[in-house]
Amino acid sequence: DAFPTKVWEQDPVAVAIRHDLNILFDNFPQGSSAGTDLREKIKEAYHGTLCQLKLENGHLKAEGGNCVKPRIPNIHGFFHITNLDFYRNDENLNWSRIMIGNHKFSRRWDDQLAVTVPAAMRAPDKSWDMNTNNVTLEVYHNSFYDGHVRWRGGGGFQHWWRQYSDERFKEGRAQCNDWIRNGG
């Protein structure tokens, strides 16, 4: 449910590879996860705590401490480039198992938390925000570009497509028009 709205001036995959990133994300924060049980899950998986998480100089900055009920801001899940070698290492796979527990289909602990915590705990300096690192893609999701710039046109992406794709994204229109116009 995220759509490009123009030809990208920068290739986000190339940026991630060039800088050896573990995650390059398009919006932070988007919602948060909280709870004493979250603290215990992080502690079990990483033998440490995560009490605060913020952006600093374009990458994540994590702080541990003695927080009892942390509230962890999440990386928005609509668009990010991830290094699967990092997320598939034993420690991070163990985090996923601990996070999910016996609640395989629960939305309490979701994909946003699943990518945020490993990045924060093990590689905050290799976890970059696109916007503050001058990667502007204008990905459309839920009436926002890149998660933070509101599109005021109303009517959702199909309305945007009908109104602007001829002008802004001719290459995409030539390839995708039938799919988008007919709802996928």
Side-chain angles (χ1 to χ4, degrees), residues 4-102:
T5 61
K6 65 178 187 175
V7 173
W8 295 339
E9 295 170 18
Q10 292 178 288
D11 177 352
V13 175
V15 171
I17 291 169
R18 186 177 320 114
H19 296 284
D20 191 28
L21 302 179
N22 288 323
I23 189 165
L24 177 64
F25 48 89
D26 205 11
N27 190 34
F28 176 89
Q30 177 61 37
S32 60
S33 301
T36 54
D37 52 344
L38 175 58
R39 179 185 192 275
E40 294 309 311
K41 286 174 182 286
I42 293 171
K43 200 170 179 184
E44 181 182 346
Y46 293 104
H47 310 290
T49 58
L50 179 58
C51 295
Q52 292 187 354
L53 184 61
K54 60 185 177 181
L55 274 181
E56 187 172 281
N57 299 321
H59 63 83
L60 294 180
K61 179 171 171 46
E63 294 180 15
N66 293 320
C67 54
V68 175
K69 188 176 179 181
R71 178 167 296 283
I72 307 301
N74 289 319
I75 292 171
H76 202 163
F78 77 94
F79 188 77
H80 47 76
I81 307 300
T82 52
N83 177 341
L84 293 179
D85 289 338
F86 172 74
Y87 283 95
R88 289 178 180 156
N89 77 34
D90 290 340
E91 185 178 42
N92 293 330
L93 285 175
N94 187 48
W95 155 250
S96 293
R97 285 189 285 278
I98 291 167
M99 180 190 72
I100 294 166
N102 294 326

Side-chain angles (χ1 to χ4, degrees), residues 140-158:
Y140 181 101
H141 173 70
N142 292 346
S143 297
F144 285 87
Y145 296 115
D146 295 334
H148 56 270
V149 178
R150 184 119 178 104
W151 180 60
R152 304 240 180 245
F157 185 72
Q158 288 183 347

